[in-house]
Amino acid sequence: MSTTPRKRMILATAIIGVNEHTLWEHPDAGSQTAFSSFRHVAQTAERGMFDYFFLAEGLAIRERARRPFDHDIAGRPDTLPVLAALAAVTEHIGLVGTLNATFNEPYELARQLATLDHLSGGRAGWNVVTSFDAFTGQNFRRGGFLPHSQRYERAEEMVATVQKLWDSWADDDLVADKDSGVFVRDANAGAYEHHSSQFDIRGQFTVPRSPQGRPVIVQAGVSPRGRDFAASSADVIFSPFLKLEQAQPFHADMNARAVAHGRGEGALKILPSANFAIGDTEAEARDKARHIIEQQLSPRAIQVRFEQVWNRDLSGYDLDGPVPEIEAETSPDAPQIIQGRALIHSDRAATVREWQQLAREKNLTLRQLAHEVIATPLDFVGTPSQVAERMDDFVQANGSDGFVVSPEVVPAGIDEFVDRVIPILQERGAVRTEYEGTTLRDNLGLQVPARVPARAR
Ligand SMILES: Cc1cc2nc3c(=O)[nH]c(=O)nc-3n(C[C@H](O)[C@H](O)[C@H](O)COP(=O)(O)O)c2cc1C
């Protein structure tokens, strides 16, 4: 009788920066920029046998009515120096950075990531993002730069070009033989050439082949174009789907797309972002979850989240008063009151009407409406064994291949998960008890892709 082998759970943890989920006012919250915070999270996750540590990227400070607003003030330091510093104080855990494919150049990204792969002994990964909006682009030389579809065209070219650069050195090109005086075997090592609609570059790449050959590619972005891009090029997808009814079809769709691109079943790993609240009893965990949501929905957060949809100044409305009976400002010439966040609701006018209707029916205040329509319930709430069991069941049911566990409090939020949930996951055989290999590809069970020499392209 054949049995389907149990899937091992892939685990990553993330510092996502300061946003509406982050409890930076929490008494246990530390700095979002001090190295000690990053080191604490990475080393604790390594103690918990996590596969990788992950950094999100924000390239612009969000604005409300042209002024920075609280959520982003703590800032986000640049990804690569943080990961390079972490490489020195960790041994096994992968180091994955979010880096934008729209605003960077392939030569510089290939060089930086290959360098991180060398420094870390093969633990580098790149989360390829294309950016949410033109507002971010204002910080870059080309301004707003590229509509959605062309951002993916550039991202596809970017990844193909970066991989070409990584493949430009053969494994044995760097000889450095002191006796014979031969440093590089082939004078053409690192030679590359790439001409396309996006890039027109040629030269010799300066970084010899890195331990993983090609650092791991992660992709976040779920439009049809984003899915095809991931299916052809990514090793891992950072997905937003954590409800089984959405996650299973997404998992199946992505695997089918990967197979259609000639890739083997299981070549693509899917990891949704997940958070948790743990208690000694289920009731205590629910209390904690409720408290987390109350802290997330601070008066300021409620105001800016609603202003994002109404596109009007709502600072004069009492949160404990009625929901404003005004329409969303949708005229094309109207300035955006909130800048620098993804527009979640594509039809603002309809969303506002729907919310007003709901408030009338249930007699809700603005604050109560926020709890109904803005609050995002925590994903795994319960005792350590309930959390472990539900996470494991989700993976076994092909909801995903694992999770990016993202606690709201930096840096101490991950401790409880590692101390209380990981041992149970290990007992269930869902999480390793020792690292098997040395590279991020080893952690993830991914093959090293064959190098494509320049002549073969
Ligand atoms: C789960 C998830 C995480 C993301 N994280 C980031 C990020 O840290 N930085 C960033 O600039 N964009 C981030 N993005 C934006 C995507 O890269 C992409 O630009 C955006 O989702 C639009 O692409 P799409 O229409 O294919 O979803 C994220 C997207 C998703 C779905």
Side-chain angles (χ1 to χ4, degrees):
M1 196 178 77
S2 78
T3 51
T4 317
R6 263 182 84 72
K7 282 169 70 180
R8 191 183 70 73
M9 185 187 299
I10 295 172
L11 284 179
T13 189
I15 293 188
I16 51 171
V18 178
N19 66 17
E20 54 273 24
H21 304 291
T22 316
L23 302 184
W24 57 268
E25 306 99 322
H26 192 281
D28 296 341
S31 168
Q32 292 272 339
T33 48
F35 181 60
S36 55
S37 293
F38 296 103
R39 183 178 56 207
H40 179 98
V41 176
Q43 288 182 338
T44 308
E46 188 166 73
R47 178 159 64 78
M49 301 291 150
F50 275 50
D51 295 86
Y52 65 87
F53 172 89
F54 172 63
L55 283 177
E57 181 184 67
L59 293 175
I61 288 202
R62 299 176 204 189
E63 289 179 2
R64 177 189 178 277
R66 297 182 177 271
R67 300 186 54 142
F69 73 81
D70 311 30
H71 278 147
D72 273 355
I73 284 176
R76 288 176 179 183
D78 187 59
T79 301
L80 284 160
V82 174
L83 295 182
L86 289 176
V89 297
T90 53
E91 228 179 301
H92 297 283
I93 193 160
L95 301 166
V96 178
T98 301
L99 296 161
N100 200 291
T102 304
F103 305 118
N104 293 299
E105 294 296 321
Y107 190 88
E108 87 187 320
L109 277 187
R111 201 170 124 79
Q112 289 165 333
L113 285 156
T115 303
L116 181 64
D117 209 39
H118 278 289
L119 287 180
S120 62
R123 295 185 281 138
W126 171 24
N127 178 32
V128 186
V129 294
T130 54
S131 111
F132 289 113
D133 51 36
F135 169 76
T136 306
Q138 289 171 19
N139 276 332
F140 296 86
R141 184 163 54 93
R142 298 180 187 84
F145 196 42
L146 298 182
H148 185 271
S149 66
Q150 285 177 37
R151 291 206 290 271
Y152 272 115
E153 191 180 327
R154 193 175 201 274
E156 282 161 12
E157 282 292 328
M158 175 70 98
V159 170
T161 313
V162 164
Q163 288 178 334
K164 192 185 266 192
L165 288 159
W166 288 337
D167 283 359
S168 65
W169 284 71
D171 287 328
D172 57 356
D173 273 341
L174 187 66
V175 179
D177 181 8
K178 292 182 182 174
D179 294 335
S180 65
V182 176
F183 192 69
V184 174
R185 181 179 61 84
D186 175 354
N188 265 332
Y192 74 90
E193 203 162 330
H194 187 87
H195 308 286
S196 68
S197 65
Q198 300 296 319
F199 307 111
D200 197 4
I201 52 174
R202 62 196 291 271
Q204 252 171 301
F205 190 49
T206 49
V207 188
R209 188 123 177 113
S210 72
Q212 290 185 110
R214 295 180 184 180
V216 168
I217 301 286
V218 182
Q219 192 270 2
V222 292
S223 61
R225 189 74 196 258
R227 290 181 188 212
D228 263 334
F229 170 47
S232 66
S233 318
D235 300 299
V236 179
I237 300 182
F238 182 31
S239 113
F241 301 120
L242 243 189
K243 289 213 165 53
L244 217 46
E245 59 271 24
Q246 295 167 326
Q248 279 172 330
F250 181 69
H251 195 276
D253 178 48
M254 288 314 307
N255 276 302
R257 285 178 199 247
V259 170
H261 275 94
R263 302 178 64 189
E265 191 80 41
L268 195 54
K269 311 292 183 191
I270 298 173
L271 310 185
S273 173
N275 55 17
F276 58 87
I278 302 168
D280 289 337
T281 61
E282 194 165 350
E284 189 190 315
R286 283 190 196 288
D287 256 11
K288 267 196 193 172
R290 195 170 330 122
H291 189 55
I292 289 172
I293 289 174
E294 270 161 19
Q295 288 173 284
Q296 285 172 334
L297 290 182
S298 66
R300 180 80 168 150
I302 293 176
Q303 180 200 326
V304 297
R305 294 289 298 275
F306 279 144
E307 284 178 342
Q308 181 196 353
V309 182
W310 255 278
N311 197 29
R312 288 181 189 274
D313 181 348
L314 300 180
S315 57
Y317 289 90
D318 179 2
L319 278 190
D320 296 312
V323 172
E325 282 295 338
I326 48 172
E327 287 178 7
E329 171 57 89
T330 54
S331 56
D333 310 331
Q336 302 287 315
I337 186 163
I338 304 293
Q339 290 276 17
R341 9 175 78 215
L343 190 58
I344 308 161
H345 304 276
S346 52
D347 188 343
R348 291 169 154 180
T351 305
V352 164
R353 281 197 297 273
E354 210 178 284
W355 287 352
Q356 287 165 333
Q357 178 68 21
L358 183 72
R360 267 181 243 119
E361 279 166 20
K362 293 193 166 182
N363 198 22
L364 302 175
T365 63
L366 207 45
R367 190 193 303 273
Q368 288 164 336
L369 180 68
H371 280 265
E372 292 266 334
V373 299
I374 294 179
T376 33
L378 273 79
D379 302 309
F380 294 101
V381 178
T383 62
S385 46
Q386 285 172 326
V387 168
E389 184 182 333
R390 287 174 199 156
M391 290 177 79
D392 193 17
D393 287 351
F394 190 88
V395 170
Q396 300 310 326
N398 281 334
S400 73
D401 301 299
F403 305 94
V404 180
V405 180
S406 312
E408 298 76 16
V409 178
V410 169
I414 191 72
D415 297 24
E416 199 178 13
F417 187 88
V418 166
D419 292 335
R420 303 189 68 187
V421 180
I422 290 289
I424 301 172
L425 287 170
Q426 286 173 325
E427 269 166 37
R428 295 173 72 95
V431 167
R432 64 166 70 79
T433 51
E434 294 290 338
Y435 285 100
E436 309 83 5
T438 58
T439 69
L440 175 55
R441 285 189 182 277
D442 292 339
N443 290 353
L444 297 171
L446 291 171
Q447 303 286 322
V448 173
R451 169 178 176 261
V452 182
R455 279 179 302 280
R457 288 183 188 267

